[in-house]
Amino acid sequence: MTRSFAPATYPGLEGRAVLNTGGAKGIGYAMANAFARHGADLLLMDMDADALATAAKTLRRDFPHVRIETYAGSVTDEAAVEAACAACEEAFGRVDILLTNAGISMNRPSTELTLNEWRRAVDVNLTGTFICAQAAARRMIAQKDGVILNTASMWGLASSPGRAAYCASKAGVISLTEVLADEWAEHGIRVNAICPGYIRTALTDELIGKGTLDLARIETRTPQGRMGTPEEVAEMAVYLASDAAVFVTGHAHLSDGGFLVRTF
Ligand SMILES: NC(=O)c1ccc[n+]([C@@H]2O[C@H](COP(=O)([O-])OP(=O)(O)OC[C@H]3O[C@@H](n4cnc5c(N)ncnc54)[C@H](O)[C@@H]3O)[C@@H](O)[C@H]2O)c1
């Protein structure tokens, strides 16, 4: 029997102020839905202003009891991240939970990868995560409470040929998560990384369309025989951010349909 996904309800999320980067689409948008379902207020930060407006409109329609704000900007821009944190504080009084979903893929054989491509992947995926975590933690330290969830990838834990910049940047996100969890535990801040396997989003659809990802091969290679959904990843986020997970910090949590345990 194949069981279908059934979302649960977790404690301690109602009324919390969530800053969600990359929240306009894909996994970030699914997380926005999951936190809104729990009654959390959300500030979505994304580079794509149009997608941001559409996401906010749908969320306001579906969750009229929660407050939804947006900020258009890049996580690589320190001033924009600071402004997004300030906007979150102004709207909701606090920044309780940071979700760092903004990320890009970078697939090219290592001998052909340009330095600009390398720098762009590291800049968005790793440096962007650090900029957001630092800006949010300055507020969380003052309030002695906070949760940071960094969306890394299973490719931060294992190698994938032709993806040096992506894998290295995501491995960096996992290492950053470990250090920040250790450094900020005394301030009441928990930091975890979420490591999705292959998840069906605009990002992977584009790669499948270009022939960079082979859908049939992914399905055969995954023990559960399918790609995951953004909602399944978002469920891990609401659990990890909730009071059900108060003793969980510093770790990388996989949701990959068993992909990484298979060795062929
Ligand atoms: N889809 C997967 O299979 C998969 C697997 C593992 C990890 N991830 C990670 O999950 C995260 C979300 O991926 P997704 O598949 O939902 O992608 P997506 O492309 O559907 O969504 C990413 C969002 O981030 C935004 N964004 C990109 N660069 C930004 C920047 N510099 N500043 C602000 N916003 C920016 C985009 O506009 C978009 O709305 C990424 O970090 C990705 O690496 C995805």
Side-chain angles (χ1 to χ4, degrees):
M1 173 186 173
T2 306
R3 293 198 162 268
S4 10
F5 172 66
T9 303
Y10 295 96
L13 296 175
E14 194 174 351
R16 311 226 43 212
V18 181
L19 174 56
N20 180 6
T21 78
K25 281 186 281 189
I27 293 170
Y29 180 65
M31 285 191 194
N33 265 282
F35 280 85
R37 177 166 57 80
H38 281 82
D41 294 317
L42 283 145
L43 186 136
L44 310 181
M45 179 186 190
D46 204 289
M47 270 177 68
D48 186 337
D50 291 341
L52 206 49
T54 307
K57 196 173 163 200
T58 314
L59 287 163
R60 286 182 189 126
R61 182 201 65 202
D62 293 347
F63 304 99
H65 57 294
V66 304
R67 292 175 288 177
I68 309 288
E69 299 289 335
T70 61
Y71 190 93
S74 173
V75 294
T76 60
D77 177 348
E78 200 180 357
V81 171
E82 182 51 36
C85 282
C88 187
E89 259 185 330
E90 199 183 317
F92 313 134
R94 298 161 64 93
V95 179
D96 291 312
I97 297 166
L98 170 70
L99 312 172
T100 65
N101 285 295
I104 56 169
S105 65
M106 192 55 71
N107 294 13
R108 202 177 296 289
S110 296
T111 48
E112 293 164 23
L113 187 72
T114 67
L115 197 50
N116 270 347
E117 289 170 329
W118 168 272
R119 285 194 172 125
R120 207 159 75 80
V122 172
D123 206 26
V124 176
N125 295 348
L126 178 55
T127 311
T129 301
F130 174 71
I131 292 171
C132 292
Q134 188 184 53
R138 286 180 177 145
R139 280 132 175 121
M140 292 171 178
I141 286 170
Q143 68 202 23
K144 296 185 171 45
D145 182 44
V147 173
I148 297 174
L149 296 180
N150 297 321
T151 299
S153 169
M154 70 174 174
W155 293 135
L157 292 163
S159 90
S160 180
R163 286 193 216 175
Y166 187 77
C167 292
S169 66
K170 292 298 190 178
V173 170
I174 293 167
S175 175
L176 177 67
T177 299
E178 291 168 354
V179 174
L180 299 183
D182 192 355
E183 196 172 322
W184 295 338
E186 63 172 310
H187 300 294
I189 301 172
R190 294 188 296 111
V191 189
N192 284 286
I194 291 179
C195 296
Y198 282 112
I199 308 299
R200 205 77 204 242
T201 65
L203 184 143
T204 44
D205 278 348
E206 191 193 329
L207 298 177
I208 290 166
K210 281 198 287 194
T212 316
L213 277 187
D214 181 341
L215 179 59
R217 193 172 128 65
I218 291 170
E219 288 173 347
T220 314
R221 170 71 179 68
T222 305
Q224 287 195 337
R226 65 173 177 93
M227 288 177 74
T229 67
E231 292 70 30
E232 288 164 337
V233 178
E235 193 65 8
M236 184 176 254
V238 280
Y239 160 69
L240 285 171
S242 79
D243 292 347
V246 287
F247 197 53
V248 182
T249 196
H251 292 287
H253 305 266
L254 276 160
S255 175
D256 70 345
F259 192 98
L260 282 195
V261 296
R262 184 166 279 178
T263 53
F264 62 90

